[in-house]
Each structure stands twice: as structure tokens, then as C-alpha cells.
Amino acid sequence: MTGWRDIARLRRLSVTALLALVMVVTSGCWRRDLEVYDAGTARLHIYTDWESSYGATPSEMTLLIYGSDNKLQQVIENQEDPTHTTVDLKAGEYRLIIFNGNSDIDAFPSLRFENLSDYDKAAVRAKMITTRALKNWDQGTQYMCDPLEPFGCAVDTIVITPDMLEKNYVFVDYRDRDKLPKSITDFNFYEVVDPMRTKIEVRVYIKKGFKYLRSMEGNISGMADGFYLNRVDRTQETGILLFDSWQIESIPGEIDKGWVKTRLDTWGLPFGKEMAVNREATDNMLNLAFLLNGKDTRGNNTFTYSYPVGKIMRYLTPTGDALSKAEVLKHIEVEITIDGDWAPELPDVEPEEPNGAGFDAHVADWEDGGTISLGGF
């Protein structure tokens, strides 16, 4: 009996070994772990148009390439010819961001880059100015930089499928992957770079006390602090901008009435707040401080006014052919006009200058009309 049990045991072991061998052979036939495939390579010729919208070709450009997972794959800086860049890519889905200059920390004194390794979060934001601790009208206010340097950006999504390439899928042993003959298919892409800054103009009518004005400053809150690079939209986060350079526009024959105005490059209004219907009046507060050439009866020579301008800010669209909303928002200028009931009245003061003139005692004929530069405090 013992011999028969041994024979039965050997048979079971033989069947088990045979099944295991079949599984190894079968699975080995279907495994691709030791094989790679090549579908050819796409050579992208990217032609960048800086002139149409941005306005001028820069001396350097940067191309960021992201994969389908939105993670940064390549950074290409081109200092030789910013209008043309060539890059080789395999089949797949890619997202591109193009901008002038480079992302070095000191490349743009007024801005900083944020989260460039993630396409969904990539942004450029304003750097902060040192808090003005010594000023009496805005002490403790922290300002963000206005965009001192031109900044332009273009974005695109490119999908390269194997059937777009000259070579179909080819499976080879991984050890031979470097021996595959190169197969390159050329593609041309044309990208238009848009400027990433918006001009804002503030005009204020002074209906009394114009002649005593020596200098002025101002600020505005609720302005976007930068751009989301992945969609060329303003950020939703906001900051305060400083207006410290003004001009006087006097009216011929009038010595006590006139306009003060300033223009500044900004990052524009926050995303979602482009239209007045989506803004509250207090979303944007305009604060003005006037320094007079003399003091009132209380010994003051600085006077401040505050205006909720969120509803009265308006975009000035380019003239010419009708533009779509998207195109308009790329070429916008914001205008704020303070007049009518809001026009400030500056108090009478005892002039410090013998001739009683305000903003510039050396300009004897300012009352004849014209424009005069008016510095900050």
C-alpha cells in the first residue's frame, strides 16, 4: 500500500509542476515588461508672435512644457531667436507656457513667479514694497509693485497622437531601444503673446482750493496682484497700489479750479470682477492725499479723501473693429473720474510762498492753462 501512495503522490506533484510550467510559459508570452515601443517623434517648430499684441520682440523668451499630469517636464530658454523655438516630443498631451525673459529671481524686479512646477497653479505675482512707515497719511500701508517691466504670456495645449507621426507602434526588446532609427515628423505652431498689464487712469476735478495745491499722492485697493499663467487670467487675490506721480491740468482763466490726473501700469481687476455688475462699490477704495502750500487755522497742510470706486471704474476698449470680450480684456485700460458731487474742496490756507502760488511757485503762468508735473510728498 505504501508504494501505491508514493506513486499517487508523485503523480500529483508532476501535474502541479506541469501546470506551473504552463503558466510560466503562457504568461511569458504575454508580458511586455522587457519590451518598449516607439511611435516616432514630433518636432515642434513654435513660432512666437510678439509684435501683434505684446508690441515688441524681447531679447529672451522662456518655454515651459508640462505633461498630461500638469507637471513641469522641460524648461527651454531661448536668447538667440525668441520668435522661433524647436523641441522634440513623443506622442502625448502637452501644455505650453511662453513668456518673455526668464524665471530667475532677479529677472523681474517688480514680480515673482509662483508654482511653476505645476501647470494648474503657475502664477506670476507682484512683489511687495516696503511699508511706508514715515508717511503721515498712509502710515503702515503695504503696497504691491506695479508691473515696472513689460511681461507677456501665451498658453496652448498640444495633443500628439501616434497616428499623426510617421512611424506606427513598434515593439522591440528594451536592450535595442537605442538602436531604433530616428523617425521625426515636423509640426508648426503659431503662438501670439499677450501683454500682462493694464493701464489705469485716475482723473480728479478739484472745484476749490486748486491754487494752494503743492503735491499729492493716492492709492487704490482691490487690484489683482498678478496673473494665473495657465489661462492668462488675473488673480483673485488683491493688493494696494500707490499713485505717487501726478499731473495738474489747469483750466485757462481759472486759478482755483482744475484737474489732477495720473496713469499707472497695473495687473488689472481681479478675475471675476471685470464687469461692474460683479463688483461692490467698496471692492475698490480710492484714497487721495493733498499737500497744500500753507496751513489751515488748525495748522494742518495735508488733507485726505476716500471714495468707493468699485462701481464707477470702467474699461476703455480700443477703437476700431468690434472685439470679442476675451480680446477686449487683453487690451484694457481702466478709467476712474472723480467729479460732480465727489469733487473735493480744499480748504483755504495761509500761503507759505509770497506770491500765493501752489503746486509750483516757479511757474508764473500756470493759470494760463496747460499740464504741469506734480510730484509725491
Side-chain angles (χ1 to χ4, degrees):
M1 292 295 291
T2 301
W4 284 106
R5 288 193 184 96
D6 293 339
I7 292 172
R9 186 179 296 111
L10 289 172
R11 284 177 176 173
R12 287 196 297 272
L13 291 173
S14 298
V15 171
T16 302
L18 180 61
L19 289 173
L21 178 61
V22 170
M23 291 177 64
V24 169
V25 173
T26 303
S27 61
C29 292
W30 290 101
R31 286 176 65 87
R32 293 290 188 189
D33 291 353
L34 299 181
E35 293 181 340
V36 295
Y37 72 85
D38 179 70
T41 300
R43 175 158 292 173
L44 277 57
H45 298 277
I46 301 173
Y47 296 92
T48 308
D49 177 3
W50 298 90
E51 302 289 338
S52 297
S53 182
Y54 177 77
T57 300
S59 59
E60 181 179 0
M61 65 153 285
T62 295
L63 169 64
L64 306 179
I65 302 176
Y66 299 81
S68 57
D69 59 355
N70 289 333
K71 301 305 179 185
L72 184 62
Q73 291 188 355
Q74 292 189 54
V75 178
I76 300 173
E77 295 181 358
N78 188 337
Q79 296 178 329
E80 297 179 359
D81 183 7
T83 65
H84 176 240
T85 301
T86 300
V87 59
D88 293 342
L89 298 173
K90 293 294 185 180
E93 181 176 313
Y94 302 92
R95 292 165 177 81
L96 311 181
I97 294 178
I98 298 172
F99 60 87
N100 60 298
N102 61 67
S103 57
D104 291 344
I105 190 170
D106 296 322
F108 293 93
S110 65
L111 59 82
R112 58 186 174 86
F113 292 90
E114 184 178 271
N115 298 321
L116 289 188
S117 61
D118 190 331
Y119 180 81
D120 281 336
K121 299 178 181 179
V124 56
R125 297 181 185 273
K127 292 179 181 177
M128 303 307 293
I129 301 175
T130 303
T131 303
R132 287 155 52 95
L134 300 179
K135 300 293 181 176
N136 60 356
W137 76 273
D138 63 345
Q139 188 171 356
T141 301
Q142 187 176 34
Y143 292 102
M144 62 181 177
C145 288
D146 53 292
L148 301 175
E149 315 84 20
F151 186 83
C153 183
V155 297
D156 200 358
T157 297
I158 294 175
V159 179
I160 304 167
T161 59
D163 60 333
M164 295 168 59
L165 307 177
E166 293 181 358
K167 182 185 292 185
N168 294 322
Y169 284 124
V170 176
F171 289 88
V172 297
D173 189 290
Y174 82 100
R175 291 167 294 189
D176 297 327
R177 63 189 184 277
D178 295 328
K179 300 178 182 179
L180 290 171
K182 295 294 183 182
S183 176
I184 295 177
T185 305
D186 289 272
F187 296 95
N188 294 330
F189 292 90
Y190 299 88
E191 310 294 344
V192 178
V193 178
D194 292 309
M196 295 293 101
R197 59 181 181 178
T198 300
K199 288 192 178 295
I200 185 170
E201 180 176 83
V202 181
R203 301 176 69 248
V204 181
Y205 180 67
I206 299 177
K207 58 185 177 183
K208 181 180 179 297
F210 186 71
K211 61 185 177 182
Y212 299 121
L213 184 58
R214 173 182 290 177
S215 60
M216 67 176 293
E217 292 183 338
N219 64 35
I220 187 169
S221 65
M223 302 301 293
D225 75 348
F227 279 81
Y228 301 117
L229 292 177
N230 63 339
R231 61 179 191 263
V232 196
D233 275 329
R234 279 74 177 167
T235 54
Q236 292 173 305
E237 293 77 18
T238 63
I240 302 174
L241 284 170
L242 172 67
F243 300 126
D244 60 354
S245 179
W246 293 76
Q247 286 187 323
I248 283 177
E249 189 176 288
S250 59
I251 302 172
E254 296 284 353
I255 62 172
D256 207 31
K257 302 176 182 178
W259 291 88
V260 289
K261 60 183 182 180
T262 188
R263 286 175 65 86
L264 185 70
D265 288 326
T266 77
W267 297 110
L269 289 167
F271 176 71
K273 301 288 187 178
E274 296 89 355
M275 302 301 167
V277 67
N278 296 325
R279 298 194 300 268
E280 298 296 331
T282 54
D283 284 347
N284 303 96
M285 297 296 298
L286 175 67
N287 300 298
L288 302 176
F290 299 93
L291 178 64
L292 303 189
N293 187 35
K295 297 181 179 180
D296 66 2
T297 55
R298 296 169 297 176
N300 298 324
N301 64 351
T302 303
F303 301 88
T304 59
Y305 298 80
S306 184
Y307 304 96
V309 297
K311 286 291 188 180
I312 70 169
M313 299 175 69
R314 70 185 186 94
Y315 281 117
L316 301 176
T317 59
T319 58
D321 297 336
L323 301 174
S324 67
K325 175 185 174 182
E327 290 172 324
V328 167
L329 293 180
K330 294 174 183 176
H331 303 82
I332 48 182
E333 293 189 1
V334 178
E335 180 187 71
I336 302 174
T337 300
I338 302 295
D339 58 4
D341 293 338
W342 277 9
E345 294 187 29
L346 302 179
D348 291 327
V349 298
E350 186 67 28
E352 296 175 357
E353 298 292 339
N355 61 5
F359 29 89
D360 192 338
H362 301 291
V363 180
D365 58 348
W366 61 265
E367 65 270 22
D368 293 336
T371 301
I372 300 171
S373 293
L374 188 68
F377 286 12

